[in-house]
Amino acid sequence: MANTEVNTTLFGTNVSYEIDGRWLAYWTLLLRLIVGWWFLHAGLDKILNWPFDASWFVGSEGTVVSPIMAPFSSGIGLEIVNFMVPVGQTLIGLGLIVGCLLRLAAFFGAFLMVFFTTANQDWAHGMVNGDLMGLVLFIALIVLGAGRVWGLDAYIERTALVRNNQWLRYILG
């Protein structure tokens, strides 16, 4: 595989550099598998050690997301979150590992990480912590179109359905 030259403008400055496509593909695959396993494991661990209790997460008071989370802090709202977090993490992890609907899965992974990051009251390790790093990793997978590297999205994108409906490429890749 040949090197790919990237030419762009970043904050008003021209930026140009080469990327070895082969190493980028290996790195993208490795990143996808590691993040996928992280979320698959987190979801399955919650499911296998049921019941899962998200009250620490949705009951966070005094955080940026407190007003959004308040309706989910008890009753049926909490039950929905208790179900959706483990199932969501499991599905996101599976989507990343097999590279299917990757951008959609990574979007929802990033969505969860935004809530995990902003609901974190401790900040013992500062603002840059594992939750923020997870958010960055999900965004990287979206940008890289990681499902196209040894993933099912590469095959799905060749179907007539996707060729005739190009908007589907926004959730694939």
Side-chain angles (χ1 to χ4, degrees), residues 12 20 24 37 52 66 72 79 83 88 94 98 137 158 162:
D20 183 325
L24 180 61
W37 174 251
F52 170 68
S66 294
F72 299 100
E79 293 304 316
F83 175 77
L94 283 172
V98 299
L137 290 171
R158 293 186 207 135
V162 176

Side-chain angles (χ1 to χ4, degrees), residues 33-112:
L33 294 174
I34 289 172
V35 176
W37 174 251
W38 172 42
F39 252 54
L40 177 65
H41 180 267
L44 288 176
D45 185 55
K46 289 173 182 70
I47 290 169
L48 295 174
N49 294 304
W50 202 262
F52 170 68
D53 182 20
S55 59
W56 67 270
F57 167 61
V58 293
S60 302
E61 293 183 15
T63 65
V64 176
V65 292
S66 294
I68 297 168
M69 302 299 260
F72 299 100
S73 62
S74 63
I76 190 71
L78 181 58
E79 293 304 316
I80 291 169
V81 174
N82 285 342
F83 175 77
M84 291 304 296
V85 168
V87 171
Q89 285 180 320
T90 302
L91 293 174
I92 290 165
L94 283 172
L96 295 182
I97 288 172
V98 299
C100 185
L101 300 174
L102 186 119
R103 284 192 170 131
L104 183 66
F107 168 80
F108 282 111
F111 181 79
L112 270 177

Side-chain angles (χ1 to χ4, degrees), residues 1 21-33 95-100 102 140-141 143-155 157-158 172-173:
M1 219 177 212
R22 177 176 29 127
W23 288 109
L24 180 61
Y26 284 126
W27 178 249
T28 302
L29 176 64
L30 181 65
L31 186 65
R32 190 184 92 211
L33 294 174
L96 295 182
I97 288 172
V98 299
C100 185
L102 186 119
L141 291 172
V143 170
L144 292 170
R148 295 182 181 116
V149 180
W150 279 6
L152 295 178
D153 284 348
Y155 301 104
E157 286 184 351
R158 293 186 207 135
L172 299 169

Side-chain angles (χ1 to χ4, degrees), residues 106-149:
F107 168 80
F108 282 111
F111 181 79
L112 270 177
M113 296 314 293
V114 165
F115 280 100
F116 291 165
T117 301
T118 54
N120 187 349
Q121 294 181 19
D122 186 17
W123 300 106
H125 300 289
M127 190 172 146
V128 178
N129 57 27
D131 295 331
L132 181 62
M133 293 307 297
L135 174 61
V136 169
L137 290 171
F138 280 115
I139 293 170
L141 291 172
I142 292 169
V143 170
L144 292 170
R148 295 182 181 116
V149 180

